[in-house]
Amino acid sequence: MFFYKNNPSMKGINPAEVIREGLAKTLVYYYPFAGRIMEGDNRKLMVDCNGEGVLFVEADACIMLEQLGDNILPPCPLIEEFLHDVPGTGGIIGCPLLLIQVTRFICGGFALGIRMNHTMADGYGMMQFLSSISELMKGASAPSISPVWQREQYLNARSPARITCIHHEYEQIPQSTDFMDSDKLFRTAIFFTPKVIQALYNHLSLSGSSQRCSRFDLVIACLWKCRTNALNPSNPDETVRLSVITNLRGKPGLNIPTGYYGNAFVYPAAVSTAGILCTAPLSYAVQLIQNAKAQMSEEYIKSVADLIVIKNRPKYATGWNFIVSDITRLGFEKIDLGWGNAVYGGVASATSNISFCTNFKNSKGEDGVVVPICLPPLAVEKFKYELEKITCEPLCRM
């Protein structure tokens, strides 16, 4: 979801019309998006570049953008209005790969909603695609970064395929209870202000840890620990995991070109027993996450590609596996379609066990991180309690 304020310099210009024109020009270069996914032998996915096109919805809302307040943040409660779920189009196979909706507000601002078939591209690929739309809308004759598709050239499995590493992220472990029923989950988000993030760093120091870590590692370590505590595992020896979605671009030995827009990520998993994770200091979770990310060698990446072929495209583990992606560096909020930067640009909501870290500046002008998350209703208060216990700060958006 992207939300844009009124820009007086764009008076009289219909955002839906110019975005649709920019989209049409961009699809000439990103033509696979206008096709449909097919499934072949061994569950192998392919794109039929049949030019059937994408879905584009134009709408009007009789409200001002300012009236939405924090409702532009995930979980956006109006997502069904801002991104109409066209019946029969939400599948993976044989359905449109993109659904785009422009909703105009009476103040002159608008919302841009996008649903993408994730088998086609990742966050970097979508950012590249949107940047191309922006450039072609503004008169460029071609995208500044030429799109590259040949995924079979860069990320194919070896011949013969062979699994040479341990992949906890695909290991299906039976869980004692099914607590993440997607139909019954409470969707919320947490805004980590600079003050809260500093409190987490202070927490590391107070525990005697001298380790250095990124803001992302620190935030997700906190969330993993608090989420596990809130879900209250009945068995302290239950195996719990946190999978870190990690970009492959720029990794030695892969030579993925700049314009590649297909999926190029893996998600190595940090593993612990629930009892130790819940009782150990925050530094313990941070160290596990850093260790998981450190294992992502060229051999590990090739082993993942081989595993997907050998096991016929298995699904990632869901039982006690919390998956988190850092999209703060993608710059979705900086996508300028002529109306300036977005007030908010990023994911609209979390899914049952997948969360995202995205940028946001609050009404006080504080630059922080928003993380949407899903929890069973009975775990929400416990989760809030655990977070505030670690940070010693009241948290926003709970």
Side-chain angles (χ1 to χ4, degrees):
M1 286 301 309
F2 300 80
F3 293 90
Y4 292 92
K5 289 182 176 180
N6 175 44
N7 185 336
S9 68
M10 302 297 283
K11 185 177 181 180
I13 297 177
N14 180 353
E17 182 178 330
V18 293
I19 291 172
R20 183 169 50 212
E21 291 175 358
L23 172 63
K25 293 176 182 178
T26 304
L27 287 173
V28 173
Y29 298 91
Y30 291 82
Y31 59 88
F33 273 127
R36 298 293 184 267
I37 292 289
M38 301 167 54
E39 188 171 32
D41 295 338
N42 301 318
R43 303 183 71 234
K44 178 70 175 177
L45 299 180
M46 299 168 283
V47 187
D48 179 8
C49 297
N50 55 22
E52 288 191 26
V54 304
L55 290 174
F56 190 92
V57 178
E58 186 174 347
D60 290 290
C62 296
I63 58 171
M64 299 176 66
L65 174 59
E66 291 75 15
Q67 290 177 261
L68 294 175
D70 284 345
N71 287 327
I72 65 173
L73 294 178
C76 179
L78 300 172
I79 184 64
E80 293 181 359
E81 282 74 25
F82 292 140
L83 194 57
H84 177 58
D85 185 11
V86 179
T89 67
I92 299 296
I93 309 297
C95 291
L97 302 177
L98 281 172
L99 167 62
I100 295 178
Q101 177 173 327
V102 176
T103 305
R104 294 176 293 256
F105 301 123
I106 57 176
C107 58
F110 65 94
L112 172 65
I114 301 173
R115 185 183 72 194
M116 175 191 71
N117 187 322
H118 209 332
T119 64
M120 288 293 295
D122 56 14
Y124 280 83
M126 179 50 62
M127 182 65 188
Q128 183 179 310
F129 179 74
L130 292 173
S131 296
S132 296
I133 292 177
S134 173
E135 291 170 348
L136 295 177
M137 281 176 60
K138 296 173 183 176
S141 58
S144 59
I145 299 177
S146 297
V148 177
W149 177 255
Q150 301 106 347
R151 94 170 56 185
E152 71 281 355
Q153 181 176 336
Y154 304 106
L155 296 171
N156 240 6
R158 295 172 288 197
S159 182
R162 54 197 183 275
I163 302 171
T164 54
C165 299
I166 297 173
H167 298 287
H168 296 291
E169 63 273 27
Y170 289 102
E171 185 180 355
Q172 300 294 344
I173 301 173
Q175 59 189 76
S176 55
T177 54
D178 183 15
F179 49 83
M180 297 301 286
D181 184 340
S182 59
D183 292 332
K184 301 176 182 177
L185 294 177
F186 180 80
R187 286 167 168 78
T188 186
I190 305 99
F191 180 56
F192 287 85
T193 65
K195 186 176 181 180
V196 169
I197 291 170
Q198 185 56 54
L200 293 178
Y201 278 115
N202 294 342
H203 197 84
L204 284 184
S205 301
L206 290 173
S207 67
S209 172
S210 59
Q211 69 193 113
R212 297 171 62 88
C213 72
S214 68
R215 180 182 67 174
F216 174 67
D217 290 352
L218 185 64
V219 166
I220 64 174
C222 168
L223 289 173
W224 184 30
K225 180 177 172 68
C226 294
R227 178 181 181 270
T228 305
N229 255 314
L231 294 176
N232 193 26
S234 58
N235 181 1
D237 293 326
E238 188 100 59
T239 298
V240 295
R241 289 164 290 187
L242 181 135
S243 293
V244 185
I245 295 180
T246 308
N247 180 34
L248 302 183
R249 293 166 178 81
K251 300 300 180 184
L254 296 181
N255 300 317
I256 298 175
T258 301
Y260 181 74
Y261 63 97
N263 286 296
F265 65 87
V266 292
Y267 27 87
V271 182
S272 175
T273 62
I276 295 177
L277 177 65
C278 290
T279 56
L282 184 61
S283 56
Y284 169 77
V286 170
Q287 188 63 61
L288 289 180
I289 292 166
Q290 292 178 331
N291 292 346
K293 292 166 68 176
Q295 69 180 309
M296 208 191 70
S297 62
E298 181 182 354
E299 181 62 31
Y300 178 89
I301 295 165
K302 290 179 177 179
S303 181
V304 171
D306 292 352
L307 179 148
I308 291 172
V309 169
I310 291 171
K311 297 193 175 184
N312 295 338
R313 192 167 55 85
K315 186 176 181 179
Y316 52 80
T318 54
W320 285 108
N321 188 21
F322 183 37
I323 304 173
V324 188
S325 178
D326 181 10
I327 60 173
T328 58
R329 298 181 183 180
L330 296 184
F332 279 125
E333 72 282 0
K334 295 178 182 177
I335 291 291
D336 183 355
L337 301 172
W339 280 260
N341 289 352
V343 181
Y344 172 78
V347 294
S349 181
T351 61
S352 59
N353 65 325
I354 304 177
S355 291
F356 305 83
C357 293
T358 189
N359 295 318
F360 184 69
K361 179 179 288 189
N362 66 10
S363 57
K364 298 178 182 178
E366 298 175 303
D367 288 305
V369 177
V370 172
V371 186
I373 193 169
C374 294
L375 292 164
L378 294 178
V380 173
E381 286 304 314
K382 174 70 170 173
F383 180 71
K384 181 179 179 181
Y385 168 78
E386 293 292 338
L387 274 173
E388 294 183 348
K389 184 171 70 173
I390 287 183
T391 62
C392 301
E393 293 286 339
L395 288 156
C396 303
R397 294 282 298 175
M398 279 296 297

